[in-house]
C-alpha cells in the first residue's frame, strides 16, 4: 500500500511540471467548493448578531453559486484552451453565461440591499389604513426611495450587462457600444429612441431623491382622488377611490401639476357650505358645530369655525370649517357635520331654512286679489 502511494506521488510530481495548466485547473476545481463554503461562513461571522449577513447570504445564495461555478469553469477553460482543440468554441458561450450570472448577482444584490434597508425600519409592507398616513410618513418615504432606486438601478445593471455581453461578440460589438452610450456610461449623446427610457429613469431618480410623491400618498390627479399604490421603475399605479387604477409614467409627475394631500402631513381642513335665511342666528350655528365636533371621533380638536362667506338677495352662505387627521377622516367628518347641521335646522330652526319670497302689489279696482308668500 505504501509502495503504491509512493509510486503515485512520484508520478504526480513528474506530471505537474510537464502539465502546469492542467495541474492549476485541477487544483482550482478541487478547491472551488471549500473556498465557496469558507467565504459564506466568513460573511456570516463578519455580519455580527444583527443577521444582515445571513439575510444577504440567503438572498444571494443561488446567483452566487451559479456565478462561482461559471467563474471556475471559465478559468479552467482558459487554462486548458491550448489543449481543447475543436472544443474551444465552448469558451465563448461560457463567457456569456458568466456575464449573465454576474448581472443576475448584481441585480439580486441591489434588491436585497433595498429590502434590508426597509426591514431595518420595520418592514416591507404598509398598513392599508388611510387613518395611519400621518403616523408612517417617514416609513413611506423610505419605502418609496428603496423601491424606486432598486428598480432603476436594477434596470441599469441589466442594460449594462446586456451591453457587455453584446460587446464580447465581435459582430455585434457596435450594438453593445450603442447601448452603453444610451445608458450614459460612455458619456455620448443619446439617440432619439432612447429618450423615453432615459427620461423615465431620470424621473425615477428625481422622485426617489426629492419625494414629490410617496407610496400611499393621497393625491388629486386629473381630477381624481386616490392613493399611490405602487411606484415602479417606469410608471406609477394610482388607485382611485372607487378601486379604478390609473397608470401614469414617472415623467408625468415631473411635467404636470398635481395635488399631494400628504406631502408633509396628512392633516387637512374640511369645509361644509350651507345657504340659510338672513334671519338665521349664526352664533347658534357655532354652538351646534362645537357640539357636533366634540361628539365626533374624527375631529382632531384643532379647528371648528363658522363664517358667513357670501350673501345674495335671497340667502346667505355659511361656511363650516373643521379639521381632521387625514383626508379619509376629513371626508367622513364633513358628511356628518353637514347632516348634523341640516338636522338641527330642521328640528330647531325650520323657519330659517332658505326660502324664496314673492310679493304682489295691490291690483287696480276690479282686478284679482293680491298674492304674497
Amino acid at each position: 500500500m505504501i509502495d503504491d502511494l509512493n509510486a503515485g506521488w512520484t508520478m504526480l510530481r513528474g506530471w505537474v511540471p510537464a502539465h502546469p495548466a492542467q495541474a492549476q485547473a485541477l487544483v482550482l476545481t478541487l478547491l472551488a467548493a471549500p473556498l465557496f463554503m469558507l467565504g459564506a461562513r466568513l460573511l456570516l461571522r463578519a455580519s455580527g448578531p444583527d443577521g444582515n449577513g445571513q439575510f444577504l447570504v440567503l438572498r444571494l445564495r443561488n446567483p452566487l453559486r451559479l456565478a462561482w461555478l461559471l467563474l471556475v469553469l471559465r478559468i479552467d477553460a482558459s487554462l486548458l484552451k491550448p489543449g481543447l482543440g475543436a472544443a474551444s468554441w465552448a469558451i465563448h458561450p461560457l463567457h456569456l453565461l458568466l456575464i449573465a450570472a454576474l448581472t443576475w448577482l448584481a441585480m439580486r444584490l441591489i434588491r436585497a440591499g433595498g429590502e434590508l434597508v426597509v426591514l431595518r425600519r420595520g418592514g416591507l409592507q404598509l398598513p392599508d389604513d388611510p387613518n395611519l398616513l400621518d403616523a408612517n410618513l417617514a416609513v413611506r418615504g423610505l419605502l418609496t426611495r428603496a423601491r424606486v432606486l432598486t428598480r432603476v438601478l436594477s434596470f441599469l445593471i441589466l442594460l449594462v450587462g446586456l451591453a457587455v455581453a453584446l460587446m464580447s461578440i465581435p459582430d455585434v460589438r457596435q450594438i453593445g457600444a450603442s447601448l452603453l452610450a444610451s445608458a450614459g456610461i460612455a458619456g455620448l449623446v443619446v439617440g432619439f429612441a432612447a429618450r423615453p427610457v432615459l427620461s423615465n429613469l431620470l424621473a425615477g431618480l428625481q422622485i426617489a431623491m426629492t419625494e414629490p410623491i410617496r407610496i400611499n400618498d393621497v393625491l388629486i390627479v386629473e381630477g381624481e382622488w386616490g392613493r399611490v399604490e405602487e411606484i415602479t421603475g417606469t410608471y406609477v399605479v394610482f388607485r382611485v377611490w372607487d378601486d379604478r387604477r390609473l397608470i401614469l409614467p414617472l415623467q408625468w409627475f415631473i411635467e404636470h401639476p398635481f395635488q399631494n394631500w400628504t406631502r408633509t402631513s396628512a392633516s387637512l381642513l374640511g369645509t361644509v357650505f350651507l345657504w340659510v335665511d338672513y334671519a338665521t342666528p349664526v352664533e347658534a350655528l357655532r354652538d351646534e358645530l362645537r357640539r357636533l365636533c366634540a361628539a365626533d371621533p374624527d375631529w382632531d380638536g384643532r379647528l371648528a369655525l363658522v363664517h358667513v362667506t357670501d350673501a345674495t338677495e335671497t340667502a346667505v352662505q355659511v361656511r363650516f370649517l373643521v379639521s381632521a387627521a387625514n383626508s379619509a377622516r376629513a371626508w367622513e367628518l364633513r358628511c356628518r357635520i353637514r347632516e348634523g347641521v341640516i338636522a338641527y335646522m330642521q328640528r330647531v330652526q325650520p323657519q330659517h331654512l332658505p326660502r324664496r319670497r314673492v310679493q304682489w302689489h295691490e291690483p287696480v279696482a276690479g282686478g284679482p286679489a293680491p298674492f304674497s308668500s
Side-chain angles (χ1 to χ4, degrees):
M1 182 66 179
I2 297 178
D3 294 338
D4 293 338
L5 291 176
N6 291 332
W9 176 250
T10 302
M11 292 178 58
L12 181 61
R13 290 178 61 184
W15 179 81
V16 169
H19 305 83
Q22 291 83 345
Q24 294 175 12
L26 179 62
V27 171
L28 179 61
T29 303
L30 293 177
L31 294 179
L35 288 176
F36 182 85
M37 297 175 62
L38 178 61
R41 188 174 296 274
L42 291 176
L43 179 61
L44 289 175
R45 179 171 297 181
S47 64
D50 54 3
N52 294 341
Q54 184 176 4
F55 177 83
L56 290 176
V57 169
L58 290 176
R59 283 289 189 269
L60 304 178
R61 178 175 52 191
N62 292 331
L64 268 176
R65 288 174 177 173
L66 180 60
W68 180 252
L69 174 62
L70 291 174
L71 178 62
V72 172
L73 293 178
R74 180 66 179 85
I75 296 175
D76 287 345
S78 299
L79 293 173
L80 300 176
K81 183 177 181 180
L84 291 178
S88 60
W89 64 268
I91 296 180
H92 193 71
L94 190 63
H95 182 73
L96 294 178
L97 289 175
L98 177 60
I99 294 175
L102 292 176
T103 303
W104 181 29
L105 176 61
M107 294 175 62
R108 182 65 67 87
L109 179 61
I110 292 295
R111 182 169 300 180
E115 293 177 359
L116 184 61
V117 169
V118 178
L119 281 175
R120 292 174 63 88
R121 293 294 299 270
L124 288 171
Q125 298 298 330
L126 291 171
D128 191 21
D129 185 358
N131 296 331
L132 299 177
L133 289 177
D134 203 24
N136 54 28
L137 195 64
V139 177
R140 292 192 293 112
L142 177 65
L143 183 59
T144 300
R145 290 193 300 272
R147 287 185 176 178
V148 174
L149 289 176
T150 295
R151 287 166 179 169
V152 171
L153 292 177
S154 296
F155 180 79
L156 289 176
I157 290 173
L158 178 62
L159 191 63
V160 171
L162 179 61
V164 172
L166 291 176
M167 290 182 68
S168 66
I169 305 175
D171 294 338
V172 293
R173 184 168 296 171
Q174 186 60 37
I175 300 177
S178 300
L179 281 176
L180 283 177
S182 68
I185 303 301
L188 303 178
V189 179
V190 298
F192 179 79
R195 288 176 57 191
V197 176
L198 290 179
S199 64
N200 272 322
L201 289 177
L202 295 176
L205 292 175
Q206 186 173 349
I207 287 175
M209 302 308 297
T210 61
E211 294 185 2
I213 59 173
R214 291 177 295 258
I215 294 175
N216 261 17
D217 266 346
V218 176
L219 309 179
I220 301 294
V221 175
E222 298 287 346
E224 301 280 4
W225 182 95
R227 289 194 292 163
V228 178
E229 185 175 54
E230 184 181 2
I231 302 178
T232 70
T234 55
Y235 61 88
V236 175
V237 180
F238 181 69
R239 188 177 71 181
V240 188
W241 64 273
D242 57 0
D243 281 344
R244 288 179 293 129
R245 265 70 173 179
L246 289 179
I247 309 299
L248 300 168
L250 290 175
Q251 187 65 22
W252 188 94
F253 290 92
I254 304 299
E255 298 177 348
H256 297 82
F258 58 93
Q259 297 183 38
N260 189 335
W261 289 10
T262 54
R263 178 66 179 88
T264 57
S265 174
S267 59
L268 288 175
L269 299 181
T271 56
V272 174
F273 292 95
L274 289 180
W275 290 94
V276 298
D277 189 74
Y278 267 89
T280 303
V282 179
E283 193 60 35
L285 295 181
R286 289 193 176 98
D287 294 338
E288 179 63 16
L289 177 63
R290 296 189 191 101
R291 187 191 67 81
L292 291 173
C293 287
D296 199 299
D298 287 331
W299 184 56
D300 63 1
R302 289 189 297 129
L303 286 177
L305 302 176
V306 177
H307 296 100
V308 177
T309 55
D310 198 3
T312 67
E313 67 276 8
T314 58
V316 296
Q317 184 187 65
V318 179
R319 184 189 70 179
F320 299 84
L321 185 63
V322 293
S323 59
N326 54 63
S327 57
R329 290 179 180 268
W331 172 262
E332 296 293 336
L333 178 61
R334 290 171 58 199
C335 293
R336 285 195 291 267
I337 292 299
R338 186 181 295 111
E339 295 171 2
V341 172
I342 292 176
Y344 165 77
M345 296 193 67
Q346 290 173 342
R347 183 179 67 255
V348 179
Q349 301 179 3
Q351 72 278 12
H352 294 149
L353 292 172
R355 61 178 62 191
R356 187 177 298 275
R357 296 178 176 85
V358 178
Q359 183 174 359
W360 288 31
H361 295 286
E362 185 71 22
V364 297
F371 170 80
S372 64
S373 63

